[in-house]
Amino acid sequence: MPVPEPTTLLVMAKEPRAGRAKTRLAPAFTPQGAAALASAALTDTLRTALATPACRRVLVLDGSPGPWLPGADEGGDRIEIVPQADGGLDERLAAAFALCEGPALLVGMDTPQLTPALLAPATRPHAWQDHDAYFGPAADGGFWALGLAAPDPALLRGVPMSTATTGAVQRARLVAAGLRVGDLPQLRDVDEPDDAAAVAAQAPGSLFAAELARLRRLLGPGHAPTAPPRGAPGVAEA
């Protein structure tokens, strides 16, 4: 008999609305352009979630659903949508894990280069036999994925978010709790213009890459924006 898919996939996201999403892409992109890139990144992420084996797929959303949600023909009706909790990001992440009774893997919307293969260690049928947690570090010091065999919100509460040491502190919290941690590959978040270009190059077939190319055509061949100074890294656009 087939082994049931054991993992719930959680996608933590913010509604990609102009002036509210991907604001650090300015001034290279207008608020509308930044929102279009955020929308494409979220669609790519949800498509990956639908293509990945899972017992549930839950979009934990700050805002309202929009046209970026995959349609029923893509399986979008298999995505549960729940509102994010109030509070800081640590509290909102903790509340997302509290929705799950079994193993869960949480990702954000900042990594449109995500593929089912990158998630496979934590989503295959026997993913949790030798690991109690999975951790995916981000290049900016945060993390792009966090998986827990037995979701415990206390493992996230109090972790300082959006700092250069967020990922290290979160992983150390898992180890201190005695969990066997499996490490996923390091990925680059899309926060600023240079990130967008690098990630699009890694995922040339993505909707995100197509949207970035469209915006560049609109801006013209002579447009070479200078990225603003890098701010504090984040865990997710959530």
Side-chain angles (χ1 to χ4, degrees):
M1 291 179 61
V3 178
E5 307 302 346
T7 303
T8 292
L9 276 178
L10 300 166
V11 178
M12 209 62 186
K14 177 189 293 183
E15 179 187 355
R17 198 164 67 227
R20 192 166 177 265
K22 294 294 170 202
T23 55
R24 286 160 60 188
L25 291 177
F29 298 96
T30 65
Q32 292 75 20
L37 286 171
S39 178
L42 182 50
T43 300
D44 283 329
T45 302
L46 293 173
R47 284 175 173 170
T48 293
L50 288 168
T52 300
C55 62
R56 296 171 63 199
R57 297 164 185 85
V58 183
L59 172 61
V60 188
L61 181 65
D62 176 6
S64 302
W68 40 264
L69 189 68
D73 58 328
E74 296 183 88
D77 53 349
R78 292 184 285 131
I79 298 174
E80 304 171 41
I81 303 175
V82 300
Q84 287 188 21
D86 295 329
L89 184 53
D90 63 320
E91 290 289 344
R92 288 180 281 143
L93 293 173
F97 276 105
L99 299 170
C100 307
E101 295 182 356
L105 178 68
L106 180 144
V107 300
M109 61 180 284
D110 292 346
T111 48
Q113 71 272 46
L114 206 57
T115 64
L118 286 168
L119 300 178
T123 58
R124 57 194 175 198
H126 302 292
W128 304 96
Q129 285 189 348
D130 299 316
H131 295 95
D132 307 304
Y134 285 91
F135 182 79
D140 63 5
F143 58 91
W144 64 268
L146 179 63
L148 297 173
D152 180 0
L155 290 170
L156 292 104
R157 293 193 181 109
V159 172
M161 297 290 164
S162 300
T163 78
T165 60
T166 293
V169 172
Q170 181 63 76
R171 192 183 186 288
R173 179 81 69 91
L174 303 177
V175 173
L179 303 185
R180 299 167 298 168
V181 181
D183 290 305
L184 302 174
Q186 178 177 286
L187 295 184
R188 185 170 183 169
D189 285 340
V190 175
D191 290 320
E192 298 178 359
D194 55 340
D195 299 323
V199 168
Q202 293 173 2
S206 65
L207 186 61
F208 180 83
E211 183 60 28
L212 180 62
R214 184 188 74 84
L215 291 173
R216 282 174 163 170
R217 289 193 297 271
L218 291 175
L219 290 169
H223 183 80
T226 300
R230 291 194 69 88
V235 176
E237 185 77 22

